[in-house]
Amino acid sequence: MKEFEFIAIARDLFKSRKKEVVYGAGDDDCAVIKLNDRYLVLSSDMLHEQSDFPKIMTPFEIGWMSVAVNFSDLAGSGVKPEYFIFDICLREGIEDSFEEILKGVKALCDRYDAEVVGGDVDFGDELFIVGFALGFSDRVVVQSGAKAGDRVYITGLTGKSQLALEYYLKGYDREEIPFVSSLVMPEPKVKEGLMLTHTANSMTDISDSLAVSLHNIASRSNVCIEIEAMDLSELLEFVDYDKALELFLYGGGDFELVFTSDSEPEVGIEIGRVREGKGVHILDDIKRTVEFRGYSHF
Amino acid sequence: MKEFEFIAIARDLFKSRKKEVVYGAGDDDCAVIKLNDRYLVLSSDMLHEQSDFPKIMTPFEIGWMSVAVNFSDLAGSGVKPEYFIFDICLREGIEDSFEEILKGVKALCDRYDAEVVGGDVDFGDELFIVGFALGFSDRVVVQSGAKAGDRVYITGLTGKSQLALEYYLKGYDREEIPFVSSLVMPEPKVKEGLMLTHTANSMTDISDSLAVSLHNIASRSNVCIEIEAMDLSELLEFVDYDKALELFLYGGGDFELVFTSDSEPEVGIEIGRVREGKGVHILDDIKRTVEFRGYSHF
């Protein structure tokens, strides 16, 4: 079974019952609960050494990353992270790095004036960090809001993190890896997400790949997305066009946002349009279908 | 370093800054955030196979337990759990049990009309489940509210789970283990906690041991606690008095609540009183000091 099959089981079992639950298990990037006058928005992600922390990451970067994945989910909903809770399982040999990991957590929380309010410390054979982030908003942007006529935007070029990962896996030293900070200390697009709370019709962060995020928007909004233009020059400095396109569409680990809007957004690079229909296509030399695939772990 | 030393590092680093944060990292059982007219109360706990799931537990019970530890934290604050999020790391060989684990999660959530609103599925070498529960309340009972003159109560006899664990570790079959349900499928005292929201001056759940919980109340409230009476007969069917007292005071894994009150509570077994002073004492044949120790994992 694959991850999405497990998620499908969970979604079936945990169908929302309470009327306050606007988006529940498996519905969108975050859980959304209606309070009196606003929404409570919740996100959680589990990271562990084996899949999520390349050995070149410092303890500070590990802590930072554990916050970044959660803040990125909230950013993709146009919501500011306010509070963070994290549970950590330490293993032998890493205990001395505890404070550095925490400093990484704190640095990214401080950057967006979010506060760590709790957590749990445990001990085992592998480093695990599980984060919970929450925020409040008067509007939540979800994947299902795209409309025919919208333009499609990204906050930055995707594929950099995947390229960095491939250099890492080939054994390059940290200082030789292009875009290494995309891999080890990504910046969640919190500011950009907040600028878009009221101008984006649909939005999500890009974690598995741009292709997966676009497919999610297209299928949940019941529309077709066409990619028309993209400037891959930053990637083309290192790889040929076909590889650059592969990285751009299917590379994982970027912390960019993708969104659609029918007005002029304050931020974002236009890459395409939303039409009536289904699926995700790319209009380069030949019109191709964008596959539903990506990379979520190294 | 021990767990509390790590927690001390975290508490120092994550001192509360926002005025809405009534209790933050390391302050009490739960994080407490002031909303307009009520409190948002948050709890999180990490469980994993190696330390928290004896092999006799079924997948259903593992799911149940992952909810129970979090609901118990909220119950100990007098708060009803409303929403639950959980992240699970599956290992090879346990994937077929996924749905049963989820059914255990759902069973305990349904029991208290709480709803699962999100989570994450991951894969690794060991089963990890990390839960995050939240609720709302107009009052939150904390450890620091005990007053000289209060009486001390527990919701049920402690030591049963530890006794069951010792039988398990000696190799007894499941059906031969006394109080086995205390070990594998404990009932968090949600109903009792809610009855006490407005009558308890201080309260906490008992996870490491009654001794640890009493010491936390005593030191945070700046009072002395004296244990005067306890009916250990359920334990005395299996062990002698000294062992029963050891289990009662220092056994871990019970999901009871301990609280203090200056009025007549609707629920609870009176075991002692709060005086001015410091520390925790037991007034049996000889007046002894209760040590600060317990068992948190098997």
Side-chain angles (χ1 to χ4, degrees), chain A residues 6 16-18 24-25 31 44-46 48 50 82 87 98 113-115 117 120 122-123 125 128 130 132, chain B residues 6 13 16-18 24-25 31 44-46 48 50 82 87 98 113-115 117 120 122-123 125 128 130 132:
Chain A
F6 287 103
S16 288
R17 296 169 287 103
K18 298 189 181 185
S44 177
D45 270 303
M46 171 182 268
H48 58 118
Q50 213 184 84
E82 286 290 342
D87 297 331
F98 180 69
D113 191 34
E115 188 165 321
V117 291
D120 189 17
D122 214 328
F123 304 90
D125 291 335
F128 270 72
V130 182
F132 296 91
Chain B
F6 287 102
L13 204 61
S16 287
R17 294 170 287 106
K18 298 188 182 188
S44 179
D45 269 304
M46 173 182 267
H48 58 118
Q50 210 185 85
E82 287 290 341
D87 295 332
F98 180 68
D113 192 33
E115 187 166 322
V117 291
D120 189 16
D122 216 327
F123 304 91
D125 291 334
F128 270 74
V130 182
F132 177 76

Side-chain angles (χ1 to χ4, degrees), chain B residues 145-162:
Chain B
K147 292 182 179 67
D150 282 2
R151 311 297 300 183
V152 181
Y153 304 84
I154 51 176
T155 51
L157 181 63
T158 52
K160 291 174 174 180
S161 178
Q162 186 70 32

Side-chain angles (χ1 to χ4, degrees), chain A:
Chain A
M1 275 208 289
K2 293 189 173 166
E3 188 175 344
F4 69 87
E5 298 177 85
F6 287 103
I7 291 172
I9 292 173
R11 190 188 297 150
D12 279 355
L13 203 63
F14 298 124
K15 283 205 185 84
S16 288
R17 296 169 287 103
K18 298 189 181 185
K19 64 173 181 0
E20 297 84 5
V21 179
V22 186
Y23 295 96
D27 289 340
D28 206 83
D29 298 336
C30 299
V32 180
I33 295 162
K34 182 92 174 84
L35 300 181
N36 297 341
D37 53 342
R38 51 185 178 162
Y39 298 100
L40 169 61
V41 185
L42 308 160
S43 155
S44 177
D45 270 303
M46 171 182 268
L47 300 178
H48 58 118
E49 243 175 320
Q50 213 184 84
S51 346
D52 303 293
F53 304 138
K55 287 194 197 310
I56 51 167
M57 284 178 80
T58 65
F60 183 92
E61 289 165 346
I62 286 172
W64 175 284
M65 178 69 86
S66 72
V67 180
V69 290
N70 285 288
F71 282 14
S72 183
D73 281 333
L74 289 180
S77 303
V79 177
K80 184 191 169 307
E82 286 290 342
Y83 301 106
F84 189 67
I85 289 183
F86 75 104
D87 297 331
I88 184 167
C89 178
L90 293 167
R91 64 162 169 77
E92 223 172 284
I94 215 161
E95 301 186 351
D96 289 345
S97 303
F98 180 69
E99 196 164 350
E100 270 303 298
I101 294 174
L102 263 54
K103 284 183 180 169
V105 168
K106 185 169 159 55
L108 188 47
C109 285
D110 283 354
R111 191 177 188 92
Y112 296 110
D113 191 34
E115 188 165 321
V116 175
V117 291
D120 189 17
V121 180
D122 214 328
F123 304 90
D125 291 335
E126 192 186 350
L127 175 66
F128 270 72
I129 308 188
V130 182
F132 296 91
L134 58 132
F136 304 92
S137 186
D138 61 346
R139 182 168 192 255
V140 181
V141 190
V142 292
Q143 295 171 6
S144 57
K147 291 181 182 70
D150 281 3
R151 309 297 302 184
V152 181
Y153 305 83
I154 53 177
T155 51
L157 181 64
T158 52
K160 292 177 177 178
S161 178
Q162 187 69 31
L163 182 67
L165 179 61
E166 292 182 8
Y167 272 74
Y168 162 72
L169 292 174
K170 282 180 197 153
Y172 282 86
D173 287 342
R174 184 175 166 129
E175 50 280 7
E176 298 169 311
I177 298 175
F179 310 123
V180 68
S181 68
S182 297
L183 181 66
V184 299
M185 213 173 123
E187 182 73 46
K189 299 301 178 295
V190 174
K191 264 185 233 157
E192 291 81 352
L194 284 176
M195 286 181 191
L196 297 163
T197 309
H198 295 275
T199 46
N201 287 333
S202 70
M203 184 157 63
T204 185
D205 69 326
I206 300 169
S207 47
D208 292 347
S209 70
L210 175 61
V212 166
S213 293
L214 287 174
H215 270 285
N216 286 339
I217 290 179
S219 64
R220 291 183 173 182
S221 301
N222 202 22
V223 294
C224 165
I225 290 180
E226 288 177 347
I227 303 178
E228 298 165 319
M230 56 259 155
D231 174 5
L232 304 180
S233 55
E234 279 187 279
L235 296 171
L236 289 170
E237 285 181 37
F238 301 94
V239 294
D240 65 21
Y241 178 77
D242 282 352
K243 177 67 183 176
L245 188 62
E246 166 74 20
L247 291 169
F248 172 68
L249 291 174
Y250 304 113
D254 291 300
F255 282 64
E256 301 298 341
L257 308 179
V258 55
F259 63 98
T260 73
S261 177
D262 55 10
S263 56
E264 199 65 44
E266 285 169 276
V267 67
I269 305 161
E270 189 176 326
I271 60 164
R273 71 174 73 185
V274 180
R275 291 189 185 281
E276 289 186 11
K278 282 190 175 192
V280 181
H281 306 282
I282 177 161
L283 309 181
D284 57 349
D285 47 347
I286 40 165
K287 181 167 169 158
R288 304 180 233 193
T289 296
V290 174
E291 299 163 47
F292 181 84
R293 63 179 171 87
Y295 307 81
S296 52
H297 302 289
F298 79 84

Side-chain angles (χ1 to χ4, degrees), chain B residues 233-295:
Chain B
S233 53
E234 281 186 278
L235 296 171
L236 291 170
E237 286 179 38
F238 301 93
V239 295
D240 65 21
Y241 178 79
D242 282 350
K243 178 68 182 175
L245 189 62
E246 167 74 18
L247 291 169
F248 171 69
L249 291 174
Y250 303 113
D254 292 300
F255 281 65
E256 302 298 341
L257 307 179
V258 55
F259 62 98
T260 73
S261 176
D262 56 10
S263 57
E264 198 66 44
E266 288 170 272
V267 67
I269 305 161
E270 187 176 328
I271 59 164
R273 72 174 72 185
V274 180
R275 291 189 184 284
E276 288 186 13
K278 282 191 177 194
V280 181
H281 306 281
I282 179 162
L283 308 181
D284 59 348
D285 48 347
I286 41 167
K287 179 167 171 158
R288 303 182 233 192
T289 295
V290 174
E291 298 163 47
F292 182 83
R293 64 181 170 89
Y295 306 82

